[in-house]
Amino acid sequence: MLKEAAPSQRLGRPALSFQPLGLEQIPQVRRYLKGWPYRTCDATIGGIFMWRDYFSAEFAVEEDTLYFKTNYLDHETAFTPPLGPDRRLGYERIAAYCLEKGLPVRFCTVPVEELEILQEVFGKDRLDMHAERDWSDYLYNSADMACFAGRRFSGQRNNMHKFEKACPNWRFEIIQPENLAAARDFFLAYEGQYVKESDLAREEARKVLEVLEHYEAYGMLGGMLLGEDEVIGMSMGEIIADTLYVHIEKASRRYPGSYQMLVNQFAKAFVTPQVAYVNREEDVGDEGLRTSKLSYHPVALLDKYTVEIR
């Protein structure tokens, strides 16, 4: 157990060397994600690369372990849990790096299950930790999202019926190279009408366009909801292990029930027998978004902690 902070010389290794994260690192990062044992969205391609600029993410790779350094919610330096075969050693290496650079030893987006490892490494009495409720992930049963069965989802089904009445010739299409331009045109129109004037919303809008422009590099799964020849909504995400992650979900509000139909059709298109859960990410403290996400009856809220070592 690391009871006293140790410089990198104690570990017999040079300090970690961080560099800016760019799209060219997607293939390198992707291979580390399958080893992450939790279902939080922070260890996904979309979760990492769509927010790399907002959080000033930098990365380092040492001895088959991937490290990320970020400027997290308080704009102070923090490190996400290391992705590699020995996370305990990874945490020690981060602590050594912080000591050499004169930084507080601070970790962010730490799943609740990971706290036990931090306690083993640093000692339970040295951890200052708190959950970031605004950044808790909403996790759903995949069958619920694909079927909306039972009385609990009567509201969603009613809204879908309203959508079908307002747009009887609707259809759902998988996003492919030949219809990417239509998806981009939809989002440009959506952005001009609906995007909020916060730094977070503006950055999300920039990265949605980046995903569409570099769709093959991101390796996203995507679908569009259409009425006649008009795009009404689109969703994009990815599958890792048994979870479908929804990174982008946008729909026109001119059609009642468009969001419920989009959620349902995206799940129908991409949920397989191996996909048990759908992660629809955080509400970032938006009360309207929180009410909406709770109305779909999540099976769990995946809390994530910020932890500082005293």
Side-chain angles (χ1 to χ4, degrees), residues 1 12 33 43 56 102 107 141 149 153 175 194 199 203 255 279 281 288-289 291:
M1 184 181 294
L33 302 182
S56 303
F107 303 100
N141 183 295
F153 292 100
I175 294 178
Y194 297 121
D199 291 343
E203 181 61 18
Y255 296 91
N279 182 321
E281 301 192 338
L289 196 55
T291 299

Side-chain angles (χ1 to χ4, degrees), residues 111-126:
V112 62
E113 300 90 342
E114 192 76 358
L115 296 175
E116 183 177 347
I117 295 178
L118 284 170
Q119 292 168 357
E120 291 175 3
V121 173
F122 297 104
K124 185 175 182 179
D125 58 343
R126 296 180 61 192

Side-chain angles (χ1 to χ4, degrees), residues 142-148 156 160 163-164 170-175 221-226 233-236 244 246 249 257-271 278 280 296:
S142 61
D144 287 344
M145 296 300 96
C147 299
F148 287 160
Q156 281 78 9
M160 288 169 63
F163 176 80
E164 291 172 324
W170 71 274
R171 67 186 187 278
F172 186 83
E173 289 184 2
I174 304 301
I175 294 178
L221 305 169
M224 295 187 299
L225 188 64
L226 296 96
M234 70 174 185
S235 287
M236 289 184 279
L244 170 62
V246 184
E249 191 176 82
S258 57
Y259 270 101
Q260 287 81 7
M261 185 64 80
L262 182 63
V263 169
N264 176 255
Q265 291 298 307
F266 187 73
K268 279 183 183 295
F270 296 110
V271 165
V278 175
R280 296 181 63 227
Y296 287 86

